[in-house]
């Protein structure tokens, strides 16, 4: 093996509202079951109930996706559906996305940003706590998931709820 060179580059990232043209780029890090319904969700976003955000590199390619829901709990913007392209995890992109989502919640004058973590995802919860979120409860949650052979089933779990004040 020849010599190994290491270097550091800056990633110039932008966060913007997702559009339908982003869908093909999300396919490599987002389950098809969610992408299939995305046009419907984007229609909802146009009505203001939810924001769908993508993080893009300088070339415009989306590398992360998340959403903020405003209508589930009064006073809360709920950040969910977070996913960063697998090869680019642990570089800070998820944190950039969460901060942009918090900005959206703050801009609406809502006092709380909320994130939910599954018990089997302690690294995600550790990240949220590092970003200033504090556990304040738990609740039953369920959503559709898909097995490798394409079967869709209802996944049921209990999530830990974490929140952060938008105006500390
Ligand atoms: C969770 C997630 C959105 C974080 O984005 P990210 O760009 O990796 O986050 P950052 O680089 O800002 O922070 C890295 C931290 O995220 C946390 N993390 C959670 N799940 C992770 C994963 N699957 N891979 C890497 N980091 C993960 C860790 O605490 C990590 O810190 P560490 O590398 O020191 O352990 C991203 O890792 C991801 O898409 N995971 C798979 C989907 C998921 O778990 N979504 C959250 C549902 S609650």
């Amino acid at each position: 093996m020849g010599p190994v060179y290491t270097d550091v580059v800056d990633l110039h990232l932008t966060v913007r509202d997702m559009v339908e043209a982003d869908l093909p780029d999300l396919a490599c890090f987002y389950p098809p079951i969610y992408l299939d319904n995305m046009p419907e969700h984007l229609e909802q976003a146009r009505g203001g109930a939810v924001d769908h955000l993508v993080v893009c590199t300088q070339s415009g390619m989306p590398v992360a996706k998340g959403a903020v829901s405003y209508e589930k709990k009064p006073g809360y913007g709920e950040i969910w559906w977070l996913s960063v392209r697998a090869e680019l995890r642990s570089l800070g992109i998820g944190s950039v996305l969460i901060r942009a989502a918090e900005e959206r919640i703050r801009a609406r004058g809502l006092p709380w940003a909320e994130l939910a973590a599954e018990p089997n995802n302690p690294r995600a919860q550790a990240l949220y706590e590092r970003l200033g979120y504090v556990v304040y409860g738990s609740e039953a949650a369920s959503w559709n998931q898909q097995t490798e052979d394409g079967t869709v089933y209802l996944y049921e779990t209990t999530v830990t709820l974490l929140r952060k004040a938008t105006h500390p």
Side-chain angles (χ1 to χ4, degrees), residues 16 55 65 79 99 111 137:
R16 59 163 173 79
V55 182
K65 153 88 180 73
I79 304 171
R99 277 200 296 272

Side-chain angles (χ1 to χ4, degrees), residues 3-39:
V4 175
Y5 303 100
T6 58
D7 214 331
V8 176
V9 291
D10 287 328
L11 273 178
H12 293 270
L13 301 171
T14 52
V15 186
R16 59 163 173 79
D17 289 293
M18 184 192 160
V19 293
E20 275 195 62
D22 294 321
L23 286 171
D25 287 324
L26 300 187
C28 65
F29 64 96
Y30 224 71
I33 182 180
Y34 301 133
L35 291 181
D36 289 347
N37 297 328
M38 204 51 86

